Amino acid sequence: RQAFAKRRLNALPADDVWFELEVHNDINPMDVVTSAGYDPKGWEYLGPKLSGKQTLRVKLVRLGYVRNLREAQEKADKLGYRLVEGQAREPFKTKFPKPDGKGSVVFGGSEWQGPYGDPHVTDLRGFGHEWRSDFFWSDDGFRDDWRWLVVGK
């Protein structure tokens, strides 16, 4: 019973359900790169500049297919949301260690430039019973089954 209660406690909330997430924004942005298994050499954080520890009230939303990050930001803005920064990826993964099989999660509020000059956002992809921390090219199409972590404006 206790294992079941713990599993439910760490279960990923359904889409469009608000929950709290604590984020430490003072981490080195290159730690976000290395936590995904990448060598930070050649990577650059494009912003925005963040600082402090905060508890965000967030939820997962589906924006449908979007051609690029700018289109995702515009869709989120029209819905009254702001995309959450990539510094929230690892705290999210810690709070919800198991994917639910319902799609990847994108953290599109900040960008990194990869070693070949392309802008990227952070994401989590389900890999069996675990999340895989990764980056996705900001100018590539984001599938309609991807979820975006957002806060209210």
Side-chain angles (χ1 to χ4, degrees):
R1 265 193 156 158
Q2 192 174 23
F4 177 75
K6 184 177 181 183
R7 188 172 52 235
R8 295 223 0 110
L9 178 66
N10 291 334
L12 192 61
D15 294 357
D16 295 313
V17 174
W18 293 103
F19 60 93
E20 291 187 348
L21 183 66
E22 188 174 288
V23 180
H24 298 274
N25 290 313
D26 292 323
I27 66 167
N28 180 334
M30 291 303 109
D31 289 349
V32 177
V33 174
T34 58
S35 67
Y38 292 96
D39 181 346
K41 184 178 178 184
W43 285 81
E44 179 184 348
Y45 181 61
L46 300 177
K49 181 165 176 35
L50 303 169
S51 64
K53 177 179 164 181
Q54 62 186 143
T55 300
L56 302 173
R57 189 165 189 264
V58 298
K59 67 178 176 175
L60 295 168
V61 298
R62 294 182 191 269
L63 299 176
Y65 173 80
V66 291
R67 291 184 307 254
N68 53 42
L69 179 60
R70 184 172 52 243
E71 187 175 301
Q73 291 167 331
E74 290 169 0
K75 273 189 164 181
D77 186 57
K78 285 179 184 174
L79 295 170
Y81 304 130
R82 179 180 61 78
L83 303 177
V84 173
E85 293 78 17
Q87 286 79 344
R89 182 187 64 202
E90 296 308 310
F92 181 95
K93 183 178 173 182
T94 298
K95 184 168 184 165
F96 306 109
K98 305 284 184 200
D100 59 3
K102 296 179 182 175
S104 298
V105 177
V106 184
F107 303 82
S110 54
E111 285 185 290
W112 282 256
Q113 182 175 300
Y116 300 107
D118 298 320
H120 291 76
V121 293
T122 62
D123 68 82
L124 287 171
R125 300 176 199 184
F127 189 71
H129 296 291
E130 296 180 357
W131 287 114
R132 185 174 121 213
S133 299
D134 211 343
F135 283 86
F136 193 78
W137 187 33
S138 299
D139 289 332
D140 203 358
F142 293 87
R143 295 172 19 174
D144 61 357
D145 64 338
W146 285 42
R147 296 170 288 181
W148 298 77
L149 191 68
V150 299
V151 295
K153 291 193 303 180

